[in-house]
């Protein structure tokens, strides 16, 4: 008996897949089909798969061509499977020509002709409306964002807005956009959603006007600088059935989302202490980060990601806040904050003019989780116990600039009509704005010389 194995995602199973399975089956007597798990697809950069692994397995089963179906969950599993199932032939479509030659050490490798004119990507595009996104503010972060857009299906950047016409022109030319404008009202007519990456103090007004015009909003951090403004904007979005999402990039990256479910499921017991540190030493003090008029300073620049981690882990029911801060030319170049809860405490240390170590440590009654610097861009963390033999390390992908994950969630919320994301609830985003506001009021703040 000759055993053949083949692998795929088989999303929105189509004739190309069926032809491939048929050709693979014809090579032998027994066909094993490996279907990728959802997490494996995410890890290898396939972020737009529609069907979950159960649906995709069912679709492959329904073809009647597979004698056995296995789930592919990790890099290297193909070699393990070939040995485990005593496979004679590994078969895959010709789009992978050459890629799997290394398997010929273990079995025969056959590249089968691919069916032209059909693919899961085409089907996804056909069944799906494309979100027409506009970029508000065309500075450093908007440039990084543009490099991430092609990694997400279902979204096109169609326009850019900058009140300085020359900058809108240059950005649009650089990125081949079909339109751009220095008038916000004209710009809003061209798009159905906006990504706000303008200077901090402009966020509130741009978000409000976009929502009033019926546009979905993804807004860079810091979202807004007061709890009242945040609440008002979420209420406005809710009343109009619009998505409003704070672009807290770490909240959406694979390592963080898994860390959170591990922590919530009790792997380190009850969480008692969270310590987050984030610093960005900048030599050029003429940048907006050091400009009080542009709401610069460590707290508004760097706190949103630390506070995201704190409210996700400990909630929004804090009892007390304390801050220690070092000022230079009207902005804080160092701030340490304490968020005190009934049975736990969190602290964060931020620096624009002071270098802090950049770790995140979450301590619980059974163990602790360490996310080494830079924890906010993490692809790795470890869970540690008194008994070091039980320690475990976890590794994930963190692709590109990491902004594709938040954009993917934003697009999926719009297309799915989902107003709220577990990754950052609206009330959690309001709590972050409130804590930043408390700091800015200065009541609980000790100024260091
Ligand atoms: N295929 C095909 N014709 C198409 C589309 C796909 O023959 N028009 C083949 C692919 O070449 C592959 C199989 O169908 O052999 C599954 O394709 P996908 O679902 O796109 O999966 P893929 O990302 O190619 O996964 O471990 C996973 C594998 O490495 C391949």
């Amino acid at each position: 008996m000759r055993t053949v194995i083949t692998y795929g995602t088989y999303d929105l199973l189509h004739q190309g897949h069926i032809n491939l399975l048929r050709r693979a089956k014809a090579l032998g007597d027994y066909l094993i089909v490996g279907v990728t798990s959802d997490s494996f697809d995410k890890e290898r950069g396939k972020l737009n798969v529609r069907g979950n692994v159960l649906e995709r397995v069912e679709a492959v089963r329904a073809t009647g061509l597979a004698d056995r179906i296995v789930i592919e969950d990790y890099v290297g599993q193909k070699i393990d499977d070939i040995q485990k199932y005593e496979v004679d032939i590994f078969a895959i479509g010709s789009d992978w020509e050459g890629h799997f030659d290394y398997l010929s050490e273990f079995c025969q490798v056959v590249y089968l002709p691919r069916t032209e004119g059909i693919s899961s990507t085409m089907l996804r595009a056909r069944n799906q409306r494309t979100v027409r996104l506009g970029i508000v503010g065309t500075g450093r972060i908007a440039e990084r964002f543009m490099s991430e857009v092609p990694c997400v299906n279902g979204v096109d950047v169609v326009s850019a807005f900058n009140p300085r016409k020359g900058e809108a022109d240059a950005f649009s030319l650089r990125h081949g956009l079909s339109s751009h404008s220095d008038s916000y009202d004209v710009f809003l007519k061209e798009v159905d959603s906006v990504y706000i990456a303008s200077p901090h103090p402009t966020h509130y007004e741009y978000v409000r006007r976009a929502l009033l015009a019926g546009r979905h909003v993804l807004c860079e951090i810091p979202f807004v600088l007061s709890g009242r403004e945040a609440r008002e904007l979420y209420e406005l979005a809710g009343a109009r059935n619009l998505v409003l999402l704070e672009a807290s990039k770490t909240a959406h990256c694979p390592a963080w989302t898994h860390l959170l479910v591990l922590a919530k499921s009790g792997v380190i017991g009850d969480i008692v202490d969270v310590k987050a540190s984030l610093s960005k030493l900048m030599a050029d003090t003429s940048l907006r980060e050091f400009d009080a008029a542009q709401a610069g300073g460590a707290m508004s620049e760097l706190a949103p990601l630390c506070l995201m981690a704190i409210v996700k882990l400990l909630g929004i029911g804090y009892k007390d806040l304390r801050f220690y801060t070092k000022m230079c030319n009207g902005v804080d170049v160092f701030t340490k904050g304490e968020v005190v809860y009934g049975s736990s405490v969190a602290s964060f240390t931020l620096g624009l003019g002071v270098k802090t170590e950049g770790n995140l440590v979450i301590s619980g009654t059974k163990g602790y989780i360490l996310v080494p610097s830079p924890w906010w861009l993490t692809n790795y963390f470890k869970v540690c116990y008194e008994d070091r033999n039980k320690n475990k390390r976890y590794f994930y992908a963190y692709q590109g600039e990491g902004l594709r994950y938040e954009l993917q969630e934003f697009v999926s919320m719009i297309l799915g009509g989902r107003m709220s994301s577990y990754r950052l609830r609206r009330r959690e985003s309001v709590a972050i704005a409130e804590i930043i506001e408390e700091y800015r009021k200065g009541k609980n703040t000790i100024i260091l010389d």
Side-chain angles (χ1 to χ4, degrees):
M1 188 175 86
R2 285 171 74 74
T3 301
V4 183
I5 198 162
T6 188
Y7 293 86
T9 302
Y10 306 105
D11 193 28
L12 309 175
L13 193 107
H14 55 67
Q15 198 55 46
H17 295 138
I18 296 171
N19 292 346
L20 192 285
L21 293 176
R22 206 171 273 139
R23 287 172 190 143
K25 175 110 178 167
L27 293 173
D29 311 296
Y30 188 83
L31 178 65
I32 304 176
V33 181
V35 178
T36 51
S37 69
D38 299 333
S39 56
F40 185 50
D41 271 326
K42 279 206 187 89
E43 192 186 316
R44 66 194 191 113
K46 272 199 163 182
L47 298 181
N48 301 300
V49 177
R50 283 294 174 73
N52 66 41
V53 65
L54 293 178
E55 292 162 337
R56 293 182 285 110
V57 163
E58 248 343 283
V60 170
R61 194 190 311 284
T63 66
L65 293 163
D67 296 293
R68 175 175 204 141
I69 297 175
V70 297
I71 306 291
E72 185 185 23
D73 201 32
Y74 59 90
V75 177
Q77 186 181 324
K78 291 184 175 82
I79 294 178
D80 284 344
D81 287 345
I82 288 167
Q83 295 177 96
K84 183 165 159 194
Y85 301 111
E86 299 182 15
V87 168
D88 301 290
I89 301 172
F90 168 86
I92 196 102
S94 52
D95 45 326
W96 291 98
E97 189 77 52
H99 192 88
F100 291 107
D101 290 355
Y102 69 91
L103 293 175
S104 57
E105 187 183 332
F106 306 93
C107 69
Q108 189 186 341
V109 174
V110 177
Y111 297 101
L112 292 167
R114 187 183 154 85
T115 307
E116 294 310 320
I118 179 130
S119 70
S120 305
T121 310
M122 272 169 58
L123 292 180
R124 281 191 291 258
R126 196 180 297 163
N127 299 341
Q128 173 183 291
R129 145 176 115 75
T130 298
V131 171
R132 293 167 55 80
L133 183 68
I135 309 287
V136 180
T138 53
R140 285 176 277 164
I141 181 78
E143 285 296 336
R144 292 211 295 273
F145 186 83
M146 289 304 289
S147 69
E148 297 276 292
V149 177
C151 307
V152 180
N153 271 351
V155 58
D156 266 348
V157 174
V158 293
S159 191
F161 162 76
N162 191 314
R164 287 191 290 259
K165 191 173 176 316
E167 294 194 20
D169 290 348
F171 186 86
S172 164
L173 193 66
R174 249 191 331 274
H175 297 287
L177 305 185
S178 51
S179 104
H180 61 276
S181 183
D182 57 352
S183 150
Y184 199 49
D185 291 326
V186 172
F187 160 81
L188 285 175
K189 289 202 178 79
E190 300 286 322
V191 300
D192 53 30
S193 59
V194 296
Y195 168 61
I196 296 190
S198 54
H200 312 332
T202 63
H203 286 184
Y204 168 77
E205 201 49 34
Y206 286 145
V207 174
R208 198 178 71 85
R209 285 172 64 190
L211 293 172
L212 287 172
R215 308 301 181 242
H216 303 284
V217 178
L218 175 64
C219 182
E220 257 311 325
I221 53 171
F223 168 41
V224 284
L225 301 169
S226 88
R228 182 190 50 76
E229 287 178 347
R231 252 190 306 277
E232 181 197 316
L233 294 174
Y234 283 116
E235 272 162 29
L236 189 56
R240 286 164 185 254
N241 267 335
L242 293 167
V243 174
L244 170 57
L245 184 66
E246 175 175 344
S248 181
K249 70 177 173 196
T250 310
H252 300 273
C253 79
W256 171 259
T257 52
H258 193 218
L259 179 155
L260 196 60
V261 294
L262 282 180
K264 294 274 174 193
S265 57
V267 294
I268 55 164
D270 297 332
I271 300 171
V272 177
D273 185 47
V274 175
K275 277 202 233 45
S277 150
L278 207 172
S279 66
K280 188 165 77 168
L281 264 198
M282 302 179 87
D284 183 359
T285 51
S286 68
L287 292 169
R288 78 169 154 74
E289 279 85 347
F290 295 92
D291 183 358
Q294 295 193 65
M299 191 66 189
S300 51
E301 290 295 329
L302 308 174
L305 293 180
C306 292
L307 291 172
M308 181 282 294
I310 291 169
V311 300
K312 288 304 308 177
L313 288 161
L314 296 176
I316 58 173
Y318 57 85
K319 305 262 186 282
D320 201 8
L321 295 171
R322 256 175 249 131
F323 306 101
Y324 309 86
T325 200
K326 223 174 174 38
M327 305 293 290
C328 182
N329 299 328
V331 299
D332 57 317
V333 288
F334 170 82
T335 293
K336 186 178 171 76
E338 289 163 354
V339 187
V340 186
Y341 294 77
S343 52
S344 58
V345 62
S347 59
F348 56 87
T349 313
L350 314 167
L352 284 175
V354 173
K355 192 65 196 158
T356 68
E357 92 294 341
N359 295 336
L360 170 69
V361 187
I362 307 160
S363 304
T365 49
K366 293 186 182 152
Y368 69 92
I369 301 176
L370 168 67
V371 194
S373 178
W375 72 267
W376 57 99
L377 307 175
T378 193
N379 57 5
Y380 158 69
F381 61 85
K382 58 183 181 174
V383 181
C384 301
Y385 299 97
E386 190 64 45
D387 176 358
R388 288 171 50 199
N389 294 321
K390 292 191 180 143
N391 289 2
K392 225 171 152 184
R393 290 160 196 264
Y394 295 84
F395 296 89
Y396 304 82
Y398 184 92
Q399 283 160 334
E401 300 283 349
L403 302 174
R404 63 194 63 183
Y405 306 111
E406 67 189 28
L407 177 60
Q408 193 218 355
E409 178 72 348
F410 180 59
V411 170
S412 134
M413 288 170 80
I414 295 173
L415 296 176
R418 189 161 46 92
M419 294 305 119
S420 162
S421 170
Y422 167 71
R423 297 189 186 164
L424 189 60
R425 294 285 187 215
R426 290 174 284 196
R427 57 180 178 275
E428 293 163 343
S429 168
V430 169
I432 293 172
E434 264 164 1
I435 296 172
I436 296 175
E437 181 181 12
E438 281 307 306
Y439 165 80
R440 290 169 73 84
K441 282 186 195 157
K443 276 201 307 236
N444 304 324
T445 307
I446 293 177
I447 311 264
L448 309 171
D449 294 334

